[in-house]
Structure formats: structure tokens, C-alpha cells
Amino acid sequence: MKVALLSGGVGGARFARGLVDVAGDANVTVVGNVGDDVEVLGLHVSPDLDSVVYTLAGLNDEERGWGRAGETWEALGTVSALGGEDWFRLGDRDLGLHLVRTQALRAGEPLSAVTARIARSLAVETRLLPATDDRLRTWIETPEGDFPFQEWFVARGHRDPVDAVRFEGAEDAGPAPGVLEALERAEAIVIAPSNPYVSIWPILAVRAIRRALEARRVPAVAVSPLVGGRAVKGPADRMLARMAGGTTPAHVAGCYEGLIDALVVDESDPAAPLAVRAVVTSTLMTDLAASRRLAEAVLGAAA
Ligand code: GDP
Ligand code: CA
């Protein structure tokens, strides 16, 4: 079955690995979030695309949950010693990728082309596309003011409660080459167990992508990022509680109104009926086998 997967960083990447294992590289196109992208030390960093590429390449650090395994931090140590910008943690191995990407972007190569080249070089055969090649940036609105995503998430430790999110540049952003074709050719559209507000909404903020989902002729299935009403990691539960009014499957489904036909929820979550079909299974991706089982349940829900 041909699948188009909308994905954020770590949750999306873990799911993507299982999905690719089940469906095969040739059948999966991952459409990744770029709302988290940030310029640090003059470099263009695309954390969510990189989480997917590192995970699919088997280079990711499982324990830390982000970045590369066997990472060292010598360059960042020098940056700190020189009083440079050190709030965003860039490891030595990771830095190499950002150097290559930044140079290519500066030379005029689109993000989608650089991303494809990086994936190919790391022997990743799954197609990975940024949602857009245009500049699209997530902003977080809080009682303390509005912050660019990474300033809120990393520098402020995502402690400020979130009143709203907005996506700078989304109005004028077009889908990256291949994204609409992947959505049109897919036999199932899947939304990964990613943070709805800051990983999936920035993808859907590209109008043509949202329209493609609204006009879908194939099943669309989302996987809830909550287990027992709690995010496995990160602020998704607190954001849902404040912005949607709760952390049940219905609140998650509400984030994707009109865009999905089924929601895969964890067996520890309340079983109240949803506006879309609920598929109940264990959604905790503790290892590749668990990611595979979840992917099989998702493909079953789309069949
Ligand atoms: P980020 O961009 O790195 O924050 O990654 P994502 O948005 O793709 O993923 C973060 C979300 O993944 C969080 O809301 C987690 O609750 C969710 N998540 C992480 N691991 C799991 C898991 O094993 N199962 C489920 N259902 N959700 C998970
Ligand atoms: Ca992210």
C-alpha cells in the first residue's frame, strides 16, 4: 500500500521506521515539518527532517531521543568558551550536516533537493520531503509574549503555557515538489503520533496540503501522540489541555477535524465514541517491533 506520512520529529520518526519496515521504502513518502527550522550560528537547522533522516539511517541516539548516536560536543564547547550562541545544542557529527545543508541553501538549492541529497548519501531510500521549500516558521503565543518556536521550546524549556500557535509565511508557502503528487498517489494518508499543534499543523498550514487532505479519496488515519492522556514526551498534553480543553482521544481528533477518517488511540485512553472511527491498540513504540505493530494497525485501519 502506498502511504503518505505527515511527520514531526521524534514521534514521527519512530513511527516512520516501523512503517517503512512494514510497507517498504518504495511505498512510503514522508512529508516533514519545517516550522521548527531555525538559524543558529549562521547555520540552517531542520530538526524534524533530521530526526527522520537520522532515525531511518539508524544513526539516531535512542536514549537522548534526538540527534546522533555517539555524538560529541567539542565545537559547542568552543562556541561557549568564546561567548557564542550556545543555547541550541548542536553536536559535532550533527554540525557536518548543517554545514552541507546551509552551503547548498546559500547557493540557491531548494530545501527539498538538499534533503533528498542528504538522505541518499546516508543510504536512506525512503522519500523524505519538507512540507514546503518556502520559509515557514512556527510562533508560540504565551502570556509572557510571542516566541519563535525554538526560543520557546529550547531556550525557555517549553514552560510557558501556550495560548495559540501561528505559522509565519504559511500564507505564501507552496508545497515542495512531490508533496501533492505523493498525497494524490497515496492509497492511505497517515498522520504520525506527532505533536498536532507544532508538528502537524505547520504542515497543514500550507494551504494546498490542507486542501489535498480535505479532498482525499483515500482513507486518512492519525495516530494519537498521547498514552493514558499524557504525552510520551514533550508538551503536547499541556497544549491540548489548554487549547482544546482536554487530553482525551476526542480532543486529539478535534485537531484534525475534516481531515481524518480514523484515529488510532492507545488502549489506556478512554473509549468514548469519536466523530471518526477509533482504532484501539498499544501505541507505545518502545522498539522497532512495537513501531511495526503500530504501523500494521494503522495500515489495517486504512484498508
Ligand atoms: P518532535 O518534533 O521531536 O517533538 O516530535 P513529534 O512531534 O514527531 O513527536 C512528539 C510527540 O510524539 C509527543 O507528543 C509524544 O507524545 C509522541 N510520542 C513519542 N513517542 C511515542 C510513542 O511511543 N507512542 C505514541 N503514541 N506517541 C509517542
Ligand atoms: Ca519538532
Side-chain angles (χ1 to χ4, degrees), residues 196 222-226 240 244 246-257 260 263:
V223 185
S224 170
L226 303 186
L240 275 154
T247 60
T248 70
H251 294 103
V252 176
C255 291
Y256 303 129
E257 213 181 323
I260 59 170
L263 181 71

Side-chain angles (χ1 to χ4, degrees), residues 40-43 73-92 95:
V40 205
L41 294 165
L43 302 177
W73 307 91
E74 301 301 327
L76 195 67
T78 302
V79 170
S80 299
L82 297 174
E85 188 186 11
D86 63 358
W87 61 277
F88 195 89
R89 299 193 62 206
L90 295 176
D92 299 327
L95 262 172

Side-chain angles (χ1 to χ4, degrees), residues 136-213:
L136 185 155
R137 291 289 185 278
T138 299
W139 281 76
I140 306 293
E141 301 180 11
T142 85
E144 300 303 315
D146 296 359
F147 303 101
F149 177 80
Q150 297 295 357
E151 201 176 316
W152 169 74
F153 193 86
V154 177
R156 300 177 67 87
H158 51 76
R159 276 183 292 269
D160 313 274
V162 182
D163 293 319
V165 292
R166 66 170 193 268
F167 308 106
E168 182 191 345
E171 291 283 297
D172 303 315
V179 170
L180 291 186
E181 292 80 352
L183 290 169
E184 273 155 23
R185 248 178 252 145
E187 294 159 285
I189 298 170
V190 178
I191 298 181
S194 293
N195 186 313
Y197 296 107
V198 293
S199 289
I200 303 299
W201 279 16
I203 301 174
L204 298 170
V206 178
R207 196 168 309 158
I209 298 181
R210 173 176 280 274
R211 286 222 182 104
L213 260 76

